[in-house]
């Protein structure tokens, strides 16, 4: 999928008198594509319509808070798959025990890519929230071959600006996709006997060290104390930290 700026440049070169071959050489676009552009206007379907990142003047997705949330959902437990004719499928899998999360994921996806239809597909114990567009890789340049933990996950500068402005929404997406808020039970042997203590805590588990680091950075921005519970898992357990994170994430629903 070529950006509209590339198409406009190719048409400008043709209008200036350059041949198809020379225009193809200068733009790097195939002859067949340039012929199609010369023959008529670009298709304006929901799947092919331009996005904010490949527009002539690229800018950040809006609403920014919704994008931060969807970025968290994607990095936590979502994936993008290449389909036919340059179209990509963004899928977020949600546990059927949490219908509110399914609705929120679908709403967020529609807000970020309003030109594409969001659909749901019920699978065994979960619901796939999905959307087709040629532009998902433009909004999520972390997409690539293989599993996320097998490649570097680095945010673009414009993505970092969004996450820095909306760290709570980003963490909400991460934890709602690949984390949980649960109750920890601790056994203590005291002179008076055995006592059990219970307290809530958050966990975020991911095989990618880069994604874990991004989660930690966002928690730091929120002022939420956290620590690594395991090699691939971080936790938030202090009472005041849990209470603060509840304001941004809260229990699943």
């Amino acid at each position: 999928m070529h950006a509209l700026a590339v198409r406009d440049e190719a048409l400008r070169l043709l209008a200036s008198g350059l041949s198809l071959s020379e225009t193809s050489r200068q733009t790097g676009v195939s002859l067949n594509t340039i012929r199609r552009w010369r023959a008529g206007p670009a298709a304006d379907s929901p799947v092919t319509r331009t996005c904010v990142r490949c527009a002539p003047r690229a800018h950040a997705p809006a609403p920014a808070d919704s994008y931060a949330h969807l970025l968290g959902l994607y990095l936590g437990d979502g994936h993008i798959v290449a389909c036919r004719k340059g179209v990509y499928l963004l899928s977020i899998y949600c546990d059927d025990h949490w219908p509110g999360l399914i609705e929120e994921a679908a709403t967020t996806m529609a807000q970020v890519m309003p030109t594409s239809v969001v659909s749901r597909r019920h699978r065994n114990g979960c619901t796939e929230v999905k959307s087709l567009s040629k532009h998902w890789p433009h909004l999520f340049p972390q997409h690539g071959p293989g599993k996320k933990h097998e490649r570097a996950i680095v945010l673009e500068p414009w993505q970092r600006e969004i996450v820095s402005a909306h760290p709570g929404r980003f963490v909400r997406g991460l934890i709602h996709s690949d984390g949980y808020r649960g109750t920890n039970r601790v056994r203590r042997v005291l002179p008076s006997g055995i006592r059990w203590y219970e307290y809530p805590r958050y966990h975020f588990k991911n095989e990618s060290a880069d994604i874990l680091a991004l989660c930690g950075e966002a928690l730091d921005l929120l002022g939420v104390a956290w620590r690594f519970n395991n090699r691939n898992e971080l936790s938030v357990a202090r009472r005041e930290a849990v209470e603060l994170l509840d304001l941004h994430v809260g229990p699943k629903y």
Side-chain angles (χ1 to χ4, degrees):
M1 180 64 184
H2 298 284
L4 286 185
V6 176
R7 176 181 178 275
D8 292 343
E9 175 65 11
L11 293 178
R12 186 191 67 79
L13 293 174
L14 288 174
S16 70
L18 260 65
S19 66
L20 284 170
S21 298
E22 182 61 20
T23 300
S24 175
R25 188 188 67 80
Q26 290 195 23
T27 60
V29 180
S30 70
L31 284 172
N32 287 335
T33 298
I34 294 177
R35 288 193 186 98
R36 188 171 69 252
W37 287 348
R38 185 181 62 176
D44 193 30
S45 72
V47 170
T48 60
R49 195 173 298 151
T50 188
C51 72
V52 296
R53 294 307 306 166
C54 66
R57 297 184 63 181
H59 56 278
D65 59 337
S66 295
Y67 177 81
H69 182 223
L70 188 59
L71 177 62
L73 290 172
Y74 163 67
L75 292 180
D77 198 25
H79 68 275
I80 296 173
V81 176
C83 303
R84 296 177 58 191
K85 298 183 179 179
V87 177
Y88 291 84
L89 173 69
L90 170 63
S91 294
I92 306 293
Y93 288 88
C94 304
D95 193 316
D96 285 340
H97 286 97
W98 316 110
L101 268 64
I102 298 173
E103 294 305 316
E104 186 177 36
T107 298
T108 301
M109 196 177 291
Q111 289 172 338
V112 173
M113 188 72 76
T115 58
S116 296
V117 175
V118 176
S119 60
R120 299 168 178 81
R121 181 180 181 183
H122 183 70
R123 294 178 177 271
N124 186 22
C126 66
T127 296
E128 177 189 10
V129 180
K130 57 183 181 176
S131 173
L132 287 165
S133 175
K134 289 192 172 184
H135 303 286
W136 284 124
H138 302 162
L139 296 186
F140 298 110
Q142 290 70 36
H143 167 67
K147 300 176 181 178
K148 295 191 192 82
H149 69 274
E150 295 175 346
R151 61 181 188 270
I153 301 296
V154 180
L155 298 186
E156 296 289 331
W158 59 269
Q159 291 178 301
R160 282 199 167 274
E161 290 183 10
I162 291 176
V163 171
S164 296
H166 304 280
R169 292 285 287 171
F170 178 64
V171 172
R172 182 182 181 88
L174 287 174
I175 292 181
H176 278 181
S177 61
D178 208 19
Y180 71 95
R181 182 187 189 275
T183 300
N184 190 41
R185 302 183 75 238
V186 179
R187 180 178 180 269
R188 290 285 186 267
V189 179
L190 304 176
S192 59
I194 295 176
R195 293 286 301 275
W196 286 91
Y197 297 90
E198 294 184 355
Y199 60 91
R201 66 176 176 177
Y202 284 91
H203 285 277
F204 176 67
K205 188 173 185 178
N206 199 285
E207 291 298 322
S208 169
D210 291 339
I211 295 176
L212 287 171
L214 291 172
C215 183
E217 291 172 10
L219 290 172
D220 288 340
L221 290 173
L222 294 172
V224 174
W226 62 276
R227 67 179 182 85
F228 278 105
N229 195 44
N230 288 302
R231 170 193 59 82
N232 60 350
E233 184 179 56
L234 59 81
S235 69
V236 174
R238 294 182 182 178
R239 178 186 299 175
E240 62 276 11
V242 171
E243 291 176 352
L244 180 56
L245 195 52
D246 279 343
L247 299 176
H248 300 281
V249 180
K252 293 182 178 181
Y253 57 99

